[in-house]
Amino acid sequence: MSGKEVAKYIGVSILSLLLVFSLVVGFTSLSARAYLSPTIYEQVFAKHGFYEQALSSSGNSQVSFPKGVLQEQGTKVIRNLLSYINSETENLDLVITLDASTLRSSVEQKIASLPECTANQQAVQGENVVCKPAGADTSKLVTEEFQRRGITADKPYTVDLAPILDKEHNLGEVRQYVSYFRIFLIASFVFALLCLVGTYFLRDSLSSRLRWIGLPLVSASIALFLIQGILGAALSDQFAQPSSSSTEKDLSRSPLVVAVMQDLVTPLTSSIAFYSIIVGIIGLIVFGCSFFFKTTTQIPVKEKKK
C-alpha cells in the first residue's frame, strides 16, 4: 500500500468518526428543538390540568380562576414567552388579564366557601381574606376588597408573571443561547454533509464509497439509540419519586410536576429513537448496496522490453 493510499485511509477514517459525531449531535439537537415550540407545553399542561394549579398560585390565593379563561391565559403566556426567547418579538408580555366581572364571580365563590371568622379574628390578613364575618354580605365584602385593591368594573385584573419567571433577569441571555443553538444545529448538518462528500471522493470505487458511508450511518444510529435510552432512564429516575407534599419547598417533587416533567421528557426520547431508526435503515441500505458493486482495482501492466 502506497503512502498516498495510507493517507487516504487515515483521512476517510477521521471523516467517518466526524460524520458519526456530527449526525449524533445534529439529530439530538433537532429533537431538543421541539422545546422551543409551544405545542408540546400546551398539550402536556392541558392534559394534567397544570394551568389551574400553577397559574392560580402566581396570583392572589383567594382568586379561583375559571378553567376556560385560565387555559386561554396560560396558552398566551407560554406563546409570548417562547416568542421572546426565539427572538420573534422584543416585548416580554407575560401578563394574565381577567375582566372584573369574571374575577368578581370567582372571588365571590371563593369567599362564600370560607369559614366564618372566630372571635377577634380579622377577615383580611395581609393580602388574603382568610374568613368571612358572621352574617356578612359576600357581595359587599368583595366590593370592599376590590376597592382596597383598586379594581373597578372598567379596569381588568392583571398579574404580571415576568418578575416571577425572570427573577434573575436571565431571559436575555437565554435568547442569545437559543440563537447560538440554531446556528449550531444548522452547522452540524452542514458539517455532516461535508464529511459525506469528503468520504465519497477519498475512496476510489463505488463499493468502497458506499461501505464507508453506510458504516458511519449505522454507527450513528446505534449511538442515537443508546443516547435516548440513557437519557430516558436518567430523566425518569430524576422524576420517579413524587412527594405527596404540596409545600412550595417541595413543589418540584409534587405529583403534578413529576407527571408533567415525565410527559415532557417522552417527546425528546421518542424523537431521538425515531431518528435513530431512520438513520439506521438508510445506513443498512447504503451498506447493503455496496455488495452489488464489485471493487475494481487497477493492475499495473509491465511494459515489454524491446
Side-chain angles (χ1 to χ4, degrees):
M1 184 181 290
S2 65
K4 184 179 179 181
E5 288 298 321
V6 172
K8 284 185 176 181
Y9 183 81
I10 295 175
V12 77
S13 298
I14 294 174
L15 286 177
S16 295
L17 292 175
L18 292 176
L19 176 58
V20 172
F21 177 76
S22 59
L23 287 175
V24 170
V25 172
F27 283 112
T28 302
S29 301
L30 186 62
S31 300
R33 185 172 174 267
Y35 293 110
L36 297 177
S37 171
T39 304
I40 181 175
Y41 303 101
E42 293 172 8
Q43 293 176 348
V44 173
F45 287 178
K47 173 183 175 181
H48 295 281
F50 189 79
Y51 297 106
E52 287 79 354
Q53 301 185 46
L55 291 183
S56 63
S57 65
S58 64
N60 189 284
S61 61
Q62 301 303 315
V63 180
S64 177
F65 292 93
K67 183 176 180 180
V69 174
L70 186 59
Q71 183 168 341
E72 176 186 350
Q73 295 298 316
T75 300
K76 169 191 169 185
V77 168
I78 292 173
R79 292 181 177 178
N80 289 350
L81 176 61
L82 290 175
S83 293
Y84 181 78
I85 291 177
N86 289 322
S87 299
E88 297 172 359
T89 179
E90 297 298 325
N91 181 33
L92 182 60
D93 181 12
L94 303 181
V95 178
I96 298 176
T97 305
L98 290 175
D99 62 83
S101 60
T102 301
L103 179 63
R104 184 180 185 88
S105 175
S106 300
V107 174
E108 286 182 354
Q109 182 179 4
K110 181 68 178 180
I111 292 180
S113 64
L114 293 175
E116 291 188 354
C117 299
T118 59
N120 301 324
Q121 183 181 14
Q122 296 294 327
V124 180
Q125 296 182 8
E127 292 294 321
N128 298 327
V129 178
V130 297
C131 63
K132 58 182 179 182
D137 184 353
T138 300
S139 179
K140 183 179 179 181
L141 189 61
V142 172
T143 300
E144 294 175 353
E145 183 65 13
F146 274 27
Q147 290 176 350
R148 187 174 72 88
R149 296 177 179 271
I151 302 174
T152 60
D154 57 347
K155 182 181 179 181
Y157 177 77
T158 60
V159 177
D160 189 1
L161 298 182
I164 299 174
L165 299 178
D166 193 22
K167 289 182 180 180
E168 305 296 330
H169 304 286
N170 292 329
L171 285 181
E173 295 183 11
V174 174
R175 277 162 56 97
Q176 192 66 39
Y177 290 143
V178 169
S179 299
Y180 292 151
F181 170 78
R182 293 182 184 279
I183 296 174
F184 179 78
L185 176 60
I186 296 174
S188 63
F189 285 109
V190 172
F191 186 74
L193 180 60
L194 293 176
C195 290
L196 282 171
V197 174
T199 300
Y200 182 86
F201 285 106
L202 281 177
R203 303 312 300 165
D204 297 326
S205 67
L206 180 57
S207 175
S208 180
R209 289 168 178 171
L210 293 176
R211 290 181 186 179
W212 278 96
I213 291 175
L215 282 175
L217 292 178
V218 174
S219 299
S221 172
I222 295 173
L224 285 170
F225 184 79
L226 292 176
I227 287 175
Q228 70 86 24
I230 295 172
L231 188 62
L235 294 176
S236 296
D237 291 341
Q238 181 68 24
F239 302 101
Q241 298 178 350
S243 171
S244 58
S245 173
S246 59
T247 61
E248 183 177 354
K249 293 182 179 179
D250 204 35
L251 180 61
S252 63
R253 309 299 296 176
S254 67
L256 173 65
V257 173
V258 169
V260 168
M261 293 305 299
Q262 287 177 340
D263 276 0
L264 286 176
V265 168
T266 300
L268 174 63
T269 55
S270 298
S271 181
I272 295 177
F274 172 76
Y275 291 128
S276 170
I277 294 172
I278 297 300
V279 173
I281 292 174
I282 295 175
L284 290 174
I285 292 175
V286 173
F287 184 78
C289 288
S290 68
F291 293 98
F292 291 93
F293 299 92
K294 293 183 179 181
T295 302
T296 59
T297 57
Q298 294 182 351
I299 302 175
V301 180
K302 294 182 179 181
E303 293 183 359
K304 294 182 179 180
K305 293 183 179 180
K306 292 182 179 181

